[in-house]
Amino acid sequence: ASRKTCRVCGKAIKDQDRQQHVGQHIIKAMYGVEDTSVKTPVSKSYPCGMCGGTCQASIKAKKLDSQCPSTYPFMISTQVSTAKKFLSTRPCTNVPVACAMLDCKEIHWKYNYRQHLAERHPGWE
């Protein structure tokens, strides 16, 4: 399997494990959990689910569309609905999702959805 270096910690990660691996960095950063492996911090503003940076993602024909250099062919060819399914061996469900608010066409990674709602739709709760 192809491997790329994780932008956050520098570890070589298999393509099919990248979403899971980076998802752990993002969750730790979101909740202030110490992550001693971090060399380059996760973006504080809408981190990319593939690299933890600031790459934009969208959904085209129910599939991931991203210019992120860490996106891999399987993720692009897999339907988002398949990738978001929770499995005990792959608990990360961070996928691009469209905002459900009326007149909002924005798409963000699932782990960034709360940030989007707070910034773009104050009082959503």
Side-chain angles (χ1 to χ4, degrees):
S2 179
R3 293 177 180 262
K4 286 188 181 164
T5 302
C6 173
R7 176 192 135 331
V8 177
C9 70
K11 182 178 177 182
I13 305 298
K14 291 179 188 175
D15 282 350
Q16 66 266 26
D17 295 335
R18 192 164 306 115
Q19 176 195 18
Q20 177 71 34
H21 177 85
V22 173
Q24 291 176 30
H25 289 307
I26 293 170
I27 291 290
K28 287 177 181 178
M30 283 173 58
Y31 291 100
V33 175
E34 183 179 7
D35 189 347
T36 58
S37 68
V38 170
K39 293 182 170 118
T40 303
V42 169
S43 173
K44 292 186 186 297
S45 180
Y46 301 99
C48 171
M50 290 294 169
C51 74
T54 58
C55 306
Q56 296 292 317
S58 62
I59 302 169
K60 289 187 181 174
K62 298 183 181 180
K63 297 177 183 179
L64 172 67
D65 182 41
S66 175
Q67 297 303 312
C68 176
S70 294
T71 300
Y72 57 99
F74 176 78
M75 189 63 188
I76 292 171
S77 65
T78 302
Q79 287 198 356
V80 170
S81 60
T82 301
K84 72 180 179 183
K85 290 181 182 169
F86 174 88
L87 300 171
S88 60
T89 56
R90 302 186 65 73
C92 181
T93 60
N94 193 22
V95 294
V97 292
C99 181
M101 299 300 241
L102 295 176
D103 298 324
C104 184
K105 306 287 186 215
E106 293 186 41
I107 295 173
H108 294 283
W109 286 93
K110 181 179 173 182
Y111 291 178
N112 301 332
Y113 202 72
R114 183 172 279 268
Q115 180 181 2
H116 165 73
L117 290 173
E119 290 179 4
R120 302 283 200 268
H121 310 288
W124 64 273
E125 293 177 355

